[in-house]
Amino acid sequence: MMENKSTDTSRPLLGGIEAGGTKIVCAIAEEPSEPIEQESFSTGEPQETIAQVVAFFNDAIKTHGPIASLGIGTFGPADIHPRSPGYGSILTTPKKGWSHFSIVQSIRDGIDIELPIAFDTDVNAAAIGEAEYGSGQNHRFIAYITLGTGVGGGFLEDGQLLHGRMHPEIGHIPVPDFDKDFGKSTNVCPFHASCFEGRASGPSLKERWGTPGQDLPGDHEAWDLQAKYIAAGCIGLTAAWSPETIIIGGGVSQQEGLIEKVRTEFKNQSGDYWALPSLDVYLQTPELDQKAGIVGSLCMARRMLK
Ligand code: ADP
Ligand code: ZN
Protein backbone atom coordinates (compact mmCIF):
# COMPACT_ATOMS: atom_id res chain seq x y z
CA MET A 1 0.00 0.00 0.00
CA MET A 2 1.29 3.45 -0.90
CA GLU A 3 1.82 5.76 1.98
CA ASN A 4 -0.38 8.79 1.70
CA LYS A 5 2.13 11.60 1.27
CA SER A 6 -0.37 14.26 0.36
CA THR A 7 0.00 17.38 2.43
CA ASP A 8 -2.07 20.50 2.49
CA THR A 9 -0.17 22.82 0.16
CA SER A 10 -2.49 25.78 0.57
CA ARG A 11 -0.80 28.88 1.89
CA PRO A 12 -2.32 31.62 4.03
CA LEU A 13 -4.53 34.05 2.18
CA LEU A 14 -3.08 37.56 2.08
CA GLY A 15 -4.89 40.86 1.59
CA GLY A 16 -3.32 43.94 -0.01
CA ILE A 17 -4.43 47.53 -0.49
CA GLU A 18 -2.68 50.14 -2.58
CA ALA A 19 -4.36 53.40 -1.61
CA GLY A 20 -3.44 56.00 -4.22
CA GLY A 21 -4.60 59.57 -4.53
CA THR A 22 -6.84 58.72 -7.49
CA LYS A 23 -7.63 55.02 -7.04
CA ILE A 24 -7.52 52.30 -4.45
CA VAL A 25 -6.53 48.81 -5.55
CA CYS A 26 -7.57 45.83 -3.40
CA ALA A 27 -6.34 42.28 -3.89
CA ILE A 28 -6.13 38.91 -2.24
CA ALA A 29 -3.48 36.31 -3.00
CA GLU A 30 -1.61 33.32 -1.68
CA GLU A 31 1.37 34.39 -3.77
CA PRO A 32 1.82 38.19 -3.87
CA SER A 33 2.76 38.27 -7.55
CA GLU A 34 -0.39 36.36 -8.54
CA PRO A 35 -3.52 37.93 -7.06
CA ILE A 36 -6.56 35.64 -7.04
CA GLU A 37 -8.95 38.57 -7.05
CA GLN A 38 -8.32 42.25 -7.61
CA GLU A 39 -10.54 45.30 -7.84
CA SER A 40 -10.05 49.08 -8.03
CA PHE A 41 -12.21 51.89 -6.71
CA SER A 42 -11.76 55.58 -7.28
CA THR A 43 -10.53 57.44 -4.21
CA GLY A 44 -13.52 59.50 -3.12
CA GLU A 45 -14.27 60.69 0.38
CA PRO A 46 -12.99 58.29 3.04
CA GLN A 47 -16.20 56.74 4.43
CA GLU A 48 -17.63 55.70 1.05
CA THR A 49 -14.24 54.62 -0.28
CA ILE A 50 -13.41 52.47 2.75
CA ALA A 51 -16.92 50.97 2.64
CA GLN A 52 -16.15 49.64 -0.86
CA VAL A 53 -12.78 48.33 0.29
CA VAL A 54 -14.29 46.57 3.31
CA ALA A 55 -17.06 45.06 1.15
CA PHE A 56 -14.43 43.68 -1.24
CA PHE A 57 -12.59 41.90 1.59
CA ASN A 58 -15.71 40.67 3.36
CA ASP A 59 -16.94 39.17 0.07
CA ALA A 60 -13.51 37.66 -0.55
CA ILE A 61 -13.54 36.10 2.94
CA LYS A 62 -16.96 34.56 2.22
CA THR A 63 -15.73 33.10 -1.06
CA HIS A 64 -12.16 32.08 -0.21
CA GLY A 65 -12.07 31.79 3.58
CA PRO A 66 -10.34 33.97 6.18
CA ILE A 67 -7.53 36.32 5.26
CA ALA A 68 -4.48 35.86 7.50
CA SER A 69 -3.10 39.40 7.28
CA LEU A 70 -3.45 42.65 5.40
CA GLY A 71 -0.85 45.05 3.98
CA ILE A 72 -1.67 48.67 3.17
CA GLY A 73 0.48 51.02 1.11
CA THR A 74 -1.05 54.48 1.19
CA PHE A 75 -0.71 57.93 -0.30
CA GLY A 76 0.80 60.40 2.13
CA PRO A 77 1.40 62.08 4.34
CA ALA A 78 0.65 59.17 6.65
CA ASP A 79 1.47 58.20 10.23
CA ILE A 80 3.42 54.97 9.75
CA HIS A 81 5.10 54.75 13.15
CA PRO A 82 3.61 51.75 14.97
CA ARG A 83 4.11 53.34 18.40
CA SER A 84 2.53 56.66 17.47
CA PRO A 85 -1.01 57.35 18.77
CA GLY A 86 -2.05 58.33 15.25
CA TYR A 87 -0.57 55.20 13.63
CA GLY A 88 -2.58 54.09 10.63
CA SER A 89 -4.01 57.47 9.71
CA ILE A 90 -3.52 60.07 7.03
CA LEU A 91 -1.93 63.30 8.29
CA THR A 92 -2.94 66.80 7.23
CA THR A 93 -3.87 66.73 3.56
CA PRO A 94 -5.85 68.91 1.18
CA LYS A 95 -7.75 65.75 0.12
CA LYS A 96 -11.31 66.28 1.30
CA GLY A 97 -12.19 64.33 4.46
CA TRP A 98 -8.89 62.44 4.69
CA SER A 99 -6.98 64.63 7.18
CA HIS A 100 -6.45 62.52 10.34
CA PHE A 101 -8.71 59.79 9.01
CA SER A 102 -7.54 56.39 10.30
CA ILE A 103 -7.44 53.94 7.42
CA VAL A 104 -6.28 51.07 9.67
CA GLN A 105 -8.97 51.63 12.29
CA SER A 106 -11.79 52.01 9.78
CA ILE A 107 -10.78 48.78 8.07
CA ARG A 108 -10.43 46.94 11.39
CA ASP A 109 -13.93 48.15 12.31
CA GLY A 110 -15.46 47.08 8.99
CA ILE A 111 -13.82 43.76 8.26
CA ASP A 112 -15.56 40.64 9.59
CA ILE A 113 -12.46 39.04 11.12
CA GLU A 114 -9.56 40.16 13.31
CA LEU A 115 -6.24 40.20 11.54
CA PRO A 116 -2.80 41.82 11.70
CA ILE A 117 -2.48 44.91 9.47
CA ALA A 118 0.75 46.43 8.11
CA PHE A 119 0.65 50.10 7.17
CA ASP A 120 3.23 52.06 5.19
CA THR A 121 3.49 54.50 2.29
CA ASP A 122 2.59 53.50 -1.28
CA VAL A 123 6.17 54.23 -2.29
CA ASN A 124 7.56 51.92 0.39
CA ALA A 125 5.09 49.22 -0.66
CA ALA A 126 6.22 49.54 -4.28
CA ALA A 127 9.85 49.38 -3.13
CA ILE A 128 9.13 46.09 -1.34
CA GLY A 129 7.31 44.74 -4.40
CA GLU A 130 10.25 45.55 -6.68
CA ALA A 131 12.70 44.15 -4.13
CA GLU A 132 10.92 40.82 -3.76
CA TYR A 133 9.57 40.25 -7.26
CA GLY A 134 10.99 42.89 -9.59
CA SER A 135 14.20 44.65 -10.54
CA GLY A 136 15.57 44.60 -6.99
CA GLN A 137 15.84 40.82 -6.75
CA ASN A 138 19.40 39.76 -5.85
CA HIS A 139 20.32 43.20 -4.53
CA ARG A 140 20.92 44.07 -0.87
CA PHE A 141 20.73 47.89 -0.95
CA ILE A 142 17.82 48.99 -3.08
CA ALA A 143 16.51 52.47 -3.80
CA TYR A 144 13.14 52.75 -5.50
CA ILE A 145 12.11 56.17 -6.71
CA THR A 146 8.86 57.22 -8.28
CA LEU A 147 8.40 60.13 -10.65
CA GLY A 148 4.69 60.80 -10.84
CA THR A 149 2.45 63.54 -9.52
CA GLY A 150 5.18 63.93 -6.91
CA VAL A 151 8.65 62.47 -6.53
CA GLY A 152 9.30 60.02 -3.70
CA GLY A 153 11.55 57.18 -2.74
CA GLY A 154 11.75 54.05 -0.61
CA PHE A 155 14.97 52.38 0.51
CA LEU A 156 15.66 48.83 1.57
CA GLU A 157 18.67 47.42 3.31
CA ASP A 158 18.67 43.61 3.36
CA GLY A 159 14.91 43.64 2.87
CA GLN A 160 14.24 46.12 5.68
CA LEU A 161 12.81 49.53 4.89
CA LEU A 162 14.76 52.54 6.07
CA HIS A 163 12.52 54.73 8.19
CA GLY A 164 13.94 57.90 9.58
CA ARG A 165 12.23 60.24 11.97
CA MET A 166 9.48 60.42 9.33
CA HIS A 167 10.04 58.82 5.96
CA PRO A 168 12.61 59.83 3.36
CA GLU A 169 11.60 62.77 1.17
CA ILE A 170 13.97 62.54 -1.74
CA GLY A 171 11.57 64.63 -3.80
CA HIS A 172 12.98 67.64 -2.02
CA ILE A 173 16.69 67.10 -2.39
CA PRO A 174 18.24 70.10 -4.12
CA VAL A 175 19.18 69.85 -7.78
CA PRO A 176 21.06 72.36 -9.98
CA ASP A 177 19.06 74.73 -12.17
CA PHE A 178 19.31 73.11 -15.61
CA ASP A 179 16.22 74.99 -16.80
CA LYS A 180 18.21 78.05 -17.70
CA ASP A 181 20.25 76.07 -20.26
CA PHE A 182 16.94 75.45 -22.05
CA GLY A 183 15.60 79.01 -21.70
CA LYS A 184 13.08 77.83 -19.08
CA SER A 185 12.47 78.46 -15.39
CA THR A 186 9.91 75.92 -14.23
CA ASN A 187 9.79 74.74 -10.64
CA VAL A 188 6.50 73.49 -9.22
CA CYS A 189 7.60 73.08 -5.57
CA PRO A 190 6.22 75.98 -3.52
CA PHE A 191 8.82 75.40 -0.76
CA HIS A 192 12.16 75.18 -2.56
CA ALA A 193 14.06 77.12 -5.18
CA SER A 194 15.22 74.04 -7.05
CA CYS A 195 14.36 70.56 -5.84
CA PHE A 196 13.97 67.17 -7.54
CA GLU A 197 10.15 67.19 -7.34
CA GLY A 198 9.84 70.84 -8.32
CA ARG A 199 11.86 70.21 -11.45
CA ALA A 200 11.18 66.61 -12.47
CA SER A 201 7.64 65.58 -11.44
CA GLY A 202 4.88 64.94 -13.99
CA PRO A 203 3.23 68.32 -13.25
CA SER A 204 6.56 70.14 -13.80
CA LEU A 205 6.81 68.62 -17.29
CA LYS A 206 3.30 69.79 -18.10
CA GLU A 207 3.92 73.27 -16.73
CA ARG A 208 7.24 73.72 -18.49
CA TRP A 209 6.24 72.46 -21.95
CA GLY A 210 2.49 73.05 -21.87
CA THR A 211 1.86 69.36 -22.61
CA PRO A 212 1.76 66.38 -20.24
CA GLY A 213 4.67 63.96 -20.50
CA GLN A 214 2.67 61.20 -22.15
CA ASP A 215 1.86 63.52 -25.08
CA LEU A 216 5.37 64.88 -25.66
CA PRO A 217 7.17 63.31 -28.63
CA GLY A 218 10.12 61.04 -27.84
CA ASP A 219 12.60 63.33 -29.62
CA HIS A 220 11.49 66.46 -27.69
CA GLU A 221 14.21 68.35 -25.81
CA ALA A 222 12.00 67.96 -22.72
CA TRP A 223 13.53 64.51 -22.24
CA ASP A 224 17.11 65.81 -22.34
CA LEU A 225 16.29 68.25 -19.56
CA GLN A 226 14.26 65.65 -17.68
CA ALA A 227 17.19 63.21 -17.77
CA LYS A 228 19.51 65.86 -16.32
CA TYR A 229 17.24 66.33 -13.31
CA ILE A 230 16.68 62.62 -12.75
CA ALA A 231 20.43 62.01 -12.94
CA ALA A 232 21.05 64.84 -10.45
CA GLY A 233 18.53 63.32 -8.04
CA CYS A 234 20.16 59.91 -8.39
CA ILE A 235 23.58 61.44 -7.73
CA GLY A 236 22.32 63.01 -4.50
CA LEU A 237 20.95 59.65 -3.48
CA THR A 238 24.17 57.88 -4.38
CA ALA A 239 26.22 60.34 -2.36
CA ALA A 240 23.94 60.16 0.69
CA TRP A 241 23.41 56.43 0.93
CA SER A 242 25.27 54.37 -1.70
CA PRO A 243 22.59 51.95 -2.89
CA GLU A 244 23.42 48.95 -5.07
CA THR A 245 20.72 49.78 -7.57
CA ILE A 246 18.25 52.62 -8.17
CA ILE A 247 14.92 51.56 -9.66
CA ILE A 248 13.19 54.47 -11.36
CA GLY A 249 9.40 54.09 -11.51
CA GLY A 250 6.24 56.19 -11.69
CA GLY A 251 4.27 57.54 -14.65
CA VAL A 252 7.07 59.74 -16.00
CA SER A 253 9.51 56.81 -16.09
CA GLN A 254 7.30 55.11 -18.69
CA GLN A 255 8.72 57.41 -21.34
CA GLU A 256 10.62 55.24 -23.80
CA GLY A 257 14.32 55.90 -24.07
CA LEU A 258 14.42 58.07 -20.94
CA ILE A 259 16.40 55.61 -18.83
CA GLU A 260 19.21 55.52 -21.41
CA LYS A 261 19.43 59.32 -21.34
CA VAL A 262 19.49 59.23 -17.53
CA ARG A 263 22.41 56.79 -17.56
CA THR A 264 24.36 59.03 -19.94
CA GLU A 265 23.62 62.10 -17.82
CA PHE A 266 24.53 60.28 -14.63
CA LYS A 267 27.90 59.41 -16.15
CA ASN A 268 28.46 63.02 -17.24
CA GLN A 269 27.45 64.63 -13.96
CA SER A 270 29.06 62.17 -11.57
CA GLY A 271 32.50 62.60 -13.10
CA ASP A 272 32.97 58.82 -12.76
CA TYR A 273 33.68 59.45 -9.08
CA TRP A 274 32.06 56.26 -7.84
CA ALA A 275 33.19 52.78 -8.81
CA LEU A 276 29.68 51.63 -9.59
CA PRO A 277 28.47 48.46 -11.22
CA SER A 278 27.44 48.86 -14.85
CA LEU A 279 24.96 51.74 -15.14
CA ASP A 280 22.54 49.30 -16.84
CA VAL A 281 22.31 47.57 -13.48
CA TYR A 282 22.70 50.64 -11.30
CA LEU A 283 19.89 52.65 -12.92
CA GLN A 284 16.96 50.41 -13.82
CA THR A 285 13.33 50.56 -14.83
CA PRO A 286 10.85 48.70 -12.58
CA GLU A 287 10.12 45.17 -13.71
CA LEU A 288 6.67 45.13 -12.07
CA ASP A 289 5.87 48.55 -13.46
CA GLN A 290 2.39 49.67 -12.32
CA LYS A 291 1.89 46.47 -10.31
CA ALA A 292 4.71 47.16 -7.84
CA GLY A 293 2.44 48.83 -5.26
CA ILE A 294 -0.18 46.12 -4.96
CA VAL A 295 2.35 43.27 -5.10
CA GLY A 296 4.35 45.06 -2.40
CA SER A 297 1.26 45.52 -0.21
CA LEU A 298 0.65 41.77 -0.42
CA CYS A 299 4.32 41.19 0.47
CA MET A 300 3.83 43.45 3.52
CA ALA A 301 0.91 41.24 4.55
CA ARG A 302 3.08 38.13 4.22
CA ARG A 303 5.84 39.76 6.27
CA MET A 304 3.35 40.17 9.13
CA LEU A 305 3.13 36.39 9.38
CA LYS A 306 6.87 35.79 9.71
P1 ADP B 1 0.63 59.16 -9.24
O1 ADP B 1 1.91 59.83 -8.97
O2 ADP B 1 -0.54 60.10 -9.21
O3 ADP B 1 0.43 57.92 -8.42
P2 ADP B 1 1.70 58.21 -11.79
O4 ADP B 1 2.91 57.60 -11.18
O5 ADP B 1 0.99 57.42 -12.84
O6 ADP B 1 0.60 58.63 -10.75
O7 ADP B 1 2.17 59.59 -12.43
C1 ADP B 1 1.32 60.47 -13.06
C2 ADP B 1 2.17 61.52 -13.80
O8 ADP B 1 2.97 60.88 -14.79
C3 ADP B 1 1.32 62.55 -14.53
O9 ADP B 1 1.86 63.83 -14.27
C4 ADP B 1 1.47 62.17 -16.01
O10 ADP B 1 1.40 63.29 -16.85
C5 ADP B 1 2.84 61.53 -16.05
N1 ADP B 1 2.95 60.49 -17.09
C6 ADP B 1 2.13 59.46 -17.30
N2 ADP B 1 2.53 58.73 -18.35
C7 ADP B 1 3.66 59.30 -18.81
C8 ADP B 1 4.56 59.03 -19.89
N3 ADP B 1 4.40 57.99 -20.70
N4 ADP B 1 5.63 59.84 -20.03
C9 ADP B 1 5.80 60.88 -19.21
N5 ADP B 1 4.99 61.21 -18.21
C10 ADP B 1 3.92 60.44 -18.01
ZN1 ZN C 1 10.71 70.92 -2.78
Side-chain angles (χ1 to χ4, degrees), residues 171-173 187 189-192 195-198:
H172 301 281
I173 61 176
N187 163 37
C189 177
F191 299 96
H192 305 119
C195 69
F196 196 3
E197 179 168 300

Side-chain angles (χ1 to χ4, degrees), residues 20-22 122 146-150 201-203 205-206 212-215 223 249-256 290:
T22 45
D122 49 0
T146 172
L147 306 162
T149 306
S201 61
L205 266 172
K206 180 160 186 283
Q214 59 271 36
D215 300 330
W223 304 115
V252 175
S253 75
Q254 292 172 343
Q255 177 59 37
E256 246 190 84
Q290 305 298 309

